[in-house]
Amino acid sequence: MKFRDGMWLVAEGTTIEYAEQVYSITERADKKALSLLCPTRRISNRGDVLNRSTLTIDIEAVSDGIISVESTHWAGAVRKGPNFELFPDSAPEVEATITTASERTILSAGALTATVAGASQPFRIDFKGANGRVLTDLRERSVGLAYNPPISNMQQTGDMRNIQHHVFTQTTLGVGESVHGLGERFGPFNKVGQAVQLWNADGGTSSDQAYKNVSFWMSSRGYGVFIDTPEKVELEIGSERCCRLQTSVEGQRLKWFIIDGPTPKDVLRRYAKLTGQASSVPEWSYGLWLSTSFTTDYDEKTVTAFLEGMKKAAIPVDVFHFDCFWLKAFQWCDFAFDKEKFPDPAGQIKRMKDSGLCKKVSVWTNPYLGQASPLFAEAAANGYLLKRKNGDVFQWDLWQAGMAIVDFTNPAARTWFQGMITSLLDIGIDSIKTDFGERIPAEDVVWHDGSDPGRMHNYYSVLYNETVYAAMTERFGKGEAVLFARAAAAGSQRFPLQWGGDCESTPEAMAESLRGGLGFGLSGFAFWSVDIGGFEGNPPPWLYKRWVAFGLLCSHSRLHGSDSVRVPWAIDNDDQSDEGATAVLRTFVQIKAKLGAYIQAEAAKSVRDGLPLSLRAMCIEFPNDPTSWSLDRQFMLGSSLIVAPVFEEDGSVEFYLPEGRWTSFISGEVKEGPRWIKEVHRLDSVPLYVREGTVLPLRAEGGEISLKAYGIKAGEVGKVEEIVEGALKEREVTVDEAMLALKKTEVNVDEAALAPKEEEVTVDEATLAPKEKEVTVDEAVLA
């Protein structure tokens, strides 16, 4: 929201008051916090303290590398929930100090410092990170409050019912600084120049709306900011004042945390501690998911035909997904298969699994109840549904006729809903697609626990997915539950996974989705997926095949559409050539399976460190390369693989390789960076490059794992042993029974890396261990 008209004028219809001076500073007794009293005019005599507003700015050392800043106008405002759960795993210790010198007061949280100017100086708070790096600051006229419509005297604020009140801060954007994250946003990767509203909405992927608004952003200067409120937040990112990032909320308080790096990995690791680390997902979830699509007509016979067709094509399906119409029309959601289409769901699911047609089964659901649902009357009578202020159940005809919303602030409603989920698990369902959760009303509603409707709008997605995830974790165990969710907010990373929502079947929408995935990964989420081929429309065969390459190199991969199916033979009239849709899909399913051990290993590190597995923005791995902060058409899969999807029908693609030697995983060709590369790829190929110094665990069809080294030169084979031993300690290599003795493992060094080429370099038992000694991986490593 803009409060000014250019640099000199206040916006029409607005009154603004700024913190002009730090009048006094109070140290908290534990020496971990400062409270600043900041009047909105400079105080030169006693009379100046009258008829004047103040802002209280509380600064606290929260954790090493994290400082919170909270600006408050009227402290008596009721603090309604919900609130983000901070440090859900445990509150950390912090090494905090307060020092005062030369009219400056410095609060430190480890190496991160906040320096406050004294009363005789203009208002200013400077933030510096490790090694004295300048991060950002709050300068003159950067913290304030605003009234809309404008007020002419303070007496008018006696009745605030028709007056909007905002508080805001403006942190400085440095020269060349870029800003990234804020959830799954589909516009430009760098948010500088944009006005962003954090308000979950079901708007597809071609607008400024987002399903997943996450109040966290990352700066190219090596710090991040988490805005600690689930309510609507409006940001002007260099779009009101070009040199400032303004954050505003309607209310009396605004709190955010500045998180030091110096690297993006450091920032994300600290952010994960603050809001919760992602949970692990089961191994089978990384395979191919096949959906019925949304409005297509299907029954048991259709499902069986899809799966048998995939088996005939030698394309294994790990998860089969039943989308909306497994339920009877108008009865969403009643958690019961449509008996006309699926007379024996439990039996059907068992047959699907027993015959090897798929490993697991997923079904679609949402947190709404249409009036025709057999469960509606029960839920309404028991108080499980959101109500209007007059006591009526909240209903509208958007999506489902007479639709109501489950009130997850009611513990009894949560237990009831979890019982419905458990009933699905009882018949063999393994995963739940938790769709919707964005269009949650913020006016004329009352939540069971008294939560503020404006704050609940975004936070509802957290409650909804937490409820379902808890039921599944109770059944399957920690790390074995997995959702397929659309809506999210800060903290939702604990309940994986999420997918990118409704994209069109166009190359532009594929690029939009990629940008959304990059921003989402920079917001603390480890796992992400996309509807391969696009959701809306019918993808032309060339685009489907290019999207297959993109989608199979995301952390999770699902074929899904709206009113058209995504089985490959339906895309190109069952073209049986080596560049037909069936062959292309088979190729990339095989590539992902071959990389399975690597993906699992990188997933474990991603969960541990708060990193995205895929899509991982290039700047996470190469923060010192300025080009990496602008790359929005390529990504990393884990720490060692670059993926550059192809968006052109002729197969042409341009991408960037950072410094070092890079080897094509598909062709074996070696290229040097840093430089831009132009290539033309067949439909069954994509730029997929391996980082120098990588030892990839590769899984063969039979399950055996071998390790292949990239960029290891002759005479440097000892590095392989070091990498492998370190990898095992870090659980980077998934080890099965065939690898219980390291002497059975052969590590091949790519010929392109050898000098001279005639010298074959392998790592055998003599390299890995004395010949007479067998090295095994014990249970402690495997656990």
Side-chain angles (χ1 to χ4, degrees):
M1 183 173 185
K2 291 182 171 68
F3 299 112
R4 298 197 66 85
D5 179 3
M7 286 187 64
W8 318 122
L9 305 177
V10 174
E12 184 177 352
T14 304
T15 297
I16 307 177
E17 297 180 357
Y18 294 101
E20 298 283 5
Q21 175 187 23
V22 179
Y23 180 76
S24 65
I25 302 176
T26 303
E27 297 182 12
R28 204 167 70 188
D30 62 4
K31 302 294 183 180
K32 294 182 179 180
L34 301 171
S35 185
L36 318 180
L37 181 62
C38 304
T40 54
R41 67 177 289 180
R42 293 194 64 82
I43 307 301
S44 57
N45 60 67
R46 289 186 174 183
D48 290 340
V49 305
L50 304 175
N51 299 309
R52 176 57 51 186
S53 61
T54 62
L55 287 157
T56 301
I57 302 176
D58 294 301
I59 307 175
E60 180 180 3
V62 176
S63 169
D64 283 352
I66 304 179
I67 288 176
S68 68
V69 178
E70 183 172 28
S71 179
T72 304
H73 181 204
W74 291 336
V78 175
R79 290 181 178 266
K80 285 190 174 183
N83 299 297
F84 292 126
E85 185 179 2
L86 302 181
F87 297 112
D89 296 319
S90 64
E93 294 295 325
V94 57
E95 184 179 329
T97 61
I98 296 175
T99 56
T100 302
S102 303
E103 291 195 83
R104 298 186 308 162
T105 302
I106 303 174
L107 172 69
S108 68
L112 176 63
T113 63
T115 302
V116 182
S120 66
Q121 304 172 37
F123 176 89
R124 186 167 179 131
I125 305 172
D126 291 283
F127 300 95
K128 291 185 178 181
N131 304 317
R133 296 163 22 257
V134 175
L135 303 181
T136 188
D137 56 58
L138 294 166
R139 300 182 183 178
E140 291 181 83
R141 298 200 158 195
S142 64
V143 179
L145 60 101
Y147 295 103
N148 306 86
I151 62 170
S152 55
N153 65 72
M154 292 297 178
Q155 185 167 305
Q156 290 176 259
T157 64
D159 183 356
M160 293 292 293
R161 286 176 296 177
N162 296 312
I163 299 176
Q164 286 186 326
H165 180 285
H166 288 82
V167 288
F168 62 85
T169 61
Q170 295 178 343
T171 52
T172 299
L173 291 171
V175 177
E177 183 174 359
S178 57
V179 171
H180 308 268
L182 294 170
E184 183 192 55
R185 317 204 72 81
F186 306 105
F189 181 49
N190 179 5
K191 304 298 182 269
V192 173
Q194 298 182 47
V196 175
Q197 186 179 93
L198 302 183
W199 190 250
N200 284 3
D202 176 8
T205 68
S206 290
S207 74
D208 61 352
Q209 295 182 8
Y211 302 102
K212 308 169 187 65
N213 289 270
V214 181
S215 52
F216 171 77
W217 52 269
M218 172 92 69
S219 166
S220 61
R221 292 174 74 93
Y223 71 96
V225 170
F226 170 58
I227 307 159
D228 184 23
T229 178
E231 65 195 298
K232 182 187 292 184
V233 178
E234 296 183 278
L235 299 108
E236 299 290 340
I237 309 172
S239 50
E240 180 179 282
R241 291 201 63 183
C242 297
C243 61
R244 292 187 179 180
L245 190 159
Q246 177 175 279
T247 305
S248 65
V249 295
E250 185 178 355
Q252 298 293 335
R253 302 180 185 88
L254 170 61
K255 183 176 183 179
W256 44 261
F257 296 80
I258 185 166
I259 305 171
D260 186 25
T263 71
K265 289 184 178 180
D266 294 321
V267 174
L268 287 170
R269 174 175 50 82
R270 290 188 168 112
Y271 173 71
K273 296 291 185 184
L274 180 62
T275 61
Q277 291 175 281
S279 299
S280 298
V281 293
E283 179 182 358
W284 53 261
S285 72
Y286 297 109
L288 180 65
W289 297 50
L290 174 63
S291 166
T292 60
S293 291
F294 170 30
T295 59
T296 57
D297 188 19
Y298 67 92
D299 54 17
E300 181 173 353
K301 183 178 179 181
T302 312
V303 171
T304 302
F306 280 177
L307 288 170
E308 288 179 343
M310 296 292 276
K311 186 174 183 178
K312 180 180 179 182
I315 303 173
V317 174
D318 285 82
V319 186
F320 189 83
H321 172 69
F322 291 83
D323 214 56
C324 309
F325 281 93
W326 68 277
L327 299 159
K328 196 168 184 177
F330 288 109
Q331 295 188 188
W332 301 349
C333 286
D334 60 1
F335 300 92
F337 275 83
D338 182 345
K339 291 184 179 180
E340 294 181 10
K341 301 283 188 179
F342 307 100
D344 178 23
Q348 178 186 354
I349 292 167
K350 186 176 187 303
R351 289 189 291 273
M352 290 163 61
K353 294 178 180 179
D354 289 349
S355 62
L357 294 177
C358 65
K359 293 179 182 177
K360 304 291 180 179
V361 173
S362 166
V363 295
W364 173 94
T365 189
N366 66 41
Y368 310 143
L369 289 177
Q371 187 165 284
S373 169
L375 300 177
F376 181 91
E378 175 189 349
N382 287 293
Y384 299 158
L385 303 176
L386 177 63
K387 293 182 179 179
R388 297 187 186 273
K389 288 182 178 179
N390 66 2
D392 292 347
V393 169
F394 173 89
Q395 289 181 265
W396 59 12
D397 292 324
L398 184 63
W399 183 240
Q400 290 290 286
M403 189 195 83
I405 298 173
V406 177
D407 184 349
F408 291 114
T409 72
N410 182 348
R414 288 172 66 106
T415 300
W416 172 79
F417 197 86
Q418 288 173 331
M420 298 299 168
I421 297 297
T422 300
S423 69
L424 295 176
L425 307 184
D426 288 341
I427 64 170
I429 300 301
D430 305 282
S431 180
I432 304 293
K433 175 180 171 181
T434 48
D435 204 353
F436 290 87
E438 304 94 357
R439 289 181 177 145
I440 305 302
E443 304 292 339
D444 190 33
V445 291
V446 178
W447 294 93
H448 177 84
D449 71 347
S451 287
D452 177 82
R455 296 172 69 87
M456 182 55 72
H457 174 85
N458 285 351
Y459 195 78
Y460 185 85
S461 63
V462 179
L463 280 183
Y464 165 35
N465 286 292
E466 180 183 36
T467 298
V468 179
Y469 190 79
M472 298 184 67
T473 301
E474 183 177 352
R475 169 61 60 90
F476 299 123
K478 186 176 181 181
E480 294 300 319
V482 63
L483 309 179
F484 221 91
R486 190 172 74 175
S492 294
Q493 65 268 19
R494 294 176 289 164
F495 320 117
L497 63 104
Q498 288 78 22
W499 101 96
D502 299 348
C503 48
E504 297 175 316
S505 297
T506 65
E508 294 80 11
M510 187 165 82
E512 292 162 4
S513 296
L514 196 159
R515 293 193 297 269
L518 291 175
F520 196 54
L522 278 169
S523 303
F525 288 76
F527 308 110
W528 182 83
S529 184
V530 63
D531 288 344
I532 295 175
F535 178 72
E536 295 287 355
N538 294 278
W542 76 266
L543 178 62
Y544 174 89
K545 298 167 195 177
R546 296 303 185 188
W547 212 315
V548 160
F550 168 36
L552 265 296
L553 293 169
C554 297
S555 76
H556 289 77
S557 309
R558 182 181 70 162
L559 295 166
H560 182 63
S562 179
D563 57 1
S564 58
V565 298
R566 295 290 179 262
V567 288
W569 55 86
I571 300 297
D572 58 4
N573 295 317
D574 200 17
D575 179 356
Q576 290 298 305
S577 72
D578 61 356
E579 288 191 275
T582 298
V584 169
L585 178 59
R586 183 190 306 116
T587 294
F588 284 100
V589 167
Q590 290 171 348
I591 287 174
K592 190 169 191 182
K594 193 171 185 178
L595 292 170
Y598 167 77
I599 289 170
Q600 285 182 262
E602 290 291 310
K605 290 193 296 180
S606 296
V607 167
R608 181 192 67 197
D609 296 333
L611 303 176
L613 170 59
S614 179
L615 309 181
R616 182 178 297 186
M618 298 292 295
C619 57
I620 293 178
E621 292 297 328
F622 304 96
N624 296 323
D625 184 337
T627 301
S628 73
W629 291 92
S630 65
L631 299 173
D632 64 359
R633 295 192 302 276
Q634 63 187 77
F635 58 93
M636 302 290 293
L637 170 54
S639 59
S640 297
L641 297 177
I642 283 180
V643 183
V646 179
F647 297 97
E648 301 296 332
E649 187 171 1
D650 65 3
S652 61
V653 57
E654 187 173 16
F655 58 96
Y656 179 77
L657 291 179
E659 185 176 4
R661 292 166 57 87
W662 296 85
T663 305
S664 170
F665 182 81
I666 294 174
S667 72
E669 185 178 2
V670 177
K671 295 186 177 179
E672 294 274 355
R675 65 188 175 108
W676 284 90
I677 306 289
K678 290 184 178 180
E679 294 180 348
V680 177
H681 280 257
R682 287 167 46 97
L683 290 164
D684 58 357
S685 180
V686 69
L688 175 61
Y689 279 82
V690 187
R691 194 175 188 170
E692 182 178 22
T694 297
V695 177
L696 274 184
L698 300 176
R699 180 173 289 149
E701 287 187 17
E704 301 85 2
I705 297 176
S706 63
L707 303 177
K708 185 172 182 180
Y710 289 82
I712 306 296
K713 299 177 182 178
E716 297 181 340
V717 183
K719 289 184 179 180
V720 177
E721 178 184 2
E722 180 182 343
I723 292 170
V724 172
E725 289 181 352
L728 288 171
K729 289 177 183 177
E730 292 293 326
R731 297 180 62 208
E732 289 184 5
V733 180
T734 301
V735 185
D736 61 15
E737 290 185 6
M739 288 184 63
L740 284 178
L742 280 176
K743 76 173 189 176
K744 295 181 182 178
T745 305
E746 184 175 280
V747 182
N748 298 309
V749 180
D750 192 14
E751 276 190 25
L754 296 177
K757 285 189 176 180
E758 290 73 24
E759 180 180 356
E760 181 180 356
V761 183
T762 62
V763 178
D764 60 13
E765 53 189 305
T767 303
L768 290 172
K771 284 190 176 182
E772 300 302 318
K773 181 180 179 182
E774 180 177 270
V775 182
T776 63
V777 180
D778 62 19
E779 291 185 5
V781 175
L782 290 172

